[in-house]
Amino acid sequence: MICAPFLLFALAPLAGGKAYAASTCTLTSTPVNFPLYDSSVAVIATGTITVSCTTPPFNVRYTVSFGPSSGSGSVNPRALKHQTVPDTLTYTINTPATTQGTPAGALWGDGTLGTIVVTERFNAAAALTMTCNIPAGQDMTYGLYTDSITATVTP
């Protein structure tokens, strides 16, 4: 799974007639590489989302969301697609335990279909770990399965 970066620009006025440029945030990620899947056990893998923002002299509150899976067209369920046959493996992306006010292990998505977005507050940069899970019990054809999603950061 590969998460594409997203860049957002905005302008936010502050009290006192002054205006500061709002934070410009970028998002980078590491690919999630699952180990070999055996249908008798669930498989868990992790990836990292790093958010970096330029900030005025105050904390930035931002959200990170994941769009639909290219394998399923949905945020819930998501699907890894086999490269050559029409087989899929469903999987979830779950929220990290270290977020502020977001339940650990919740389905991370775009706020629809039972998923939530992650909201954080920081001064410059933060790394968030996403936990991805392929449940046990799925029939599959041996081979390479892939998916891609878009991650969005909104200050």
Side-chain angles (χ1 to χ4, degrees):
M1 174 173 53
I2 300 172
C3 301
F6 180 83
L7 184 61
L8 180 72
F9 296 95
L11 185 65
L14 296 178
K18 296 179 182 177
Y20 292 92
S23 294
T24 300
C25 297
T26 58
L27 182 145
T28 57
S29 65
T30 59
V32 174
N33 294 307
F34 288 99
L36 290 176
Y37 178 72
D38 173 346
S39 63
S40 66
V41 294
V43 172
I44 297 173
T46 60
T48 302
I49 298 290
T50 302
V51 179
S52 300
C53 296
T54 58
T55 59
F58 51 82
N59 287 341
V60 174
R61 184 179 185 98
Y62 66 91
T63 61
V64 178
S65 61
F66 289 120
S69 158
S70 66
S72 69
S74 178
V75 294
N76 186 17
R78 297 184 183 280
L80 296 159
K81 286 179 73 172
H82 192 281
Q83 279 196 320
T84 59
V85 297
D87 290 354
T88 61
L89 289 170
T90 61
Y91 74 98
T92 61
I93 302 174
N94 301 93
T95 57
T98 58
T99 59
Q100 301 171 10
T102 302
L107 293 177
W108 193 348
D110 62 3
T112 65
L113 300 172
T115 67
I116 64 171
V117 298
V118 170
T119 301
E120 283 286 330
R121 182 180 298 278
F122 73 103
N123 285 320
L128 303 170
T129 301
M130 58 184 158
T131 302
C132 301
N133 177 41
I134 301 175
Q138 300 184 64
D139 279 337
M140 80 309 190
T141 302
Y142 179 81
L144 181 62
Y145 289 74
T146 60
D147 190 19
S148 65
I149 59 171
T150 300
T152 303
V153 59
T154 307

